[in-house]
Amino acid sequence: MKKVRLIVQMIFFLVLAIVVFQVLGEQDTQQPDGVDYTLILPADRYPETLKHIREAIAEGESAVCTIDREGAEENRKESLKGIPTKKGYDRDEWPMAMCAEGGTGADVEYVPFADNRGAGSWIGNQLEQFPNGSRILFQLP
């Protein structure tokens, strides 16, 4: 009798685990309307850059980036216009220059160059698989 009870309990917990993992997996693949992919930024790796992104979004900048690589050079020129360089720092833009939402009016903050370039490289590697026009939701932990 004990063996039967133990087997029933094991089957119950196995089925419960399968259901939970299926539900969690479905939630991970669902995207908000108009978004192709959600990118969760690594909070502990690039704290200064992520702090800037978080603040810019809180102030009303878009959390969604529509990839527009061809427009990046012009967007960067417009967003950084009139903002002088500063030794040891990058002028970090949000939305990024490679986003259609970037350019004139982007939020610009001085961020230590190692932090900013590390974040830029990480984000670039994550987005290289997506074609222009892809809409990426940036999610901060």
Side-chain angles (χ1 to χ4, degrees), residues 89-132:
Y89 292 86
D90 280 340
R91 297 167 293 170
D92 183 45
E93 315 143 72
W94 190 265
M96 300 176 297
M98 70 172 288
C99 303
E101 297 80 4
T104 304
D107 190 277
V108 179
E109 187 76 33
Y110 292 106
V111 174
F113 68 84
D115 187 287
N116 189 51
R117 292 177 192 184
S121 176
W122 187 89
I123 290 170
N125 287 333
Q126 304 303 308
L127 299 184
E128 70 184 1
Q129 65 184 313
F130 296 101
N132 283 335

Side-chain angles (χ1 to χ4, degrees), residues 5-21:
R5 177 184 273 173
L6 181 62
I7 291 171
V8 169
Q9 286 177 339
M10 288 174 38
I11 291 171
F12 171 77
F13 285 113
L14 178 63
V15 170
L16 180 63
I18 291 170
V19 169
V20 167
F21 284 119

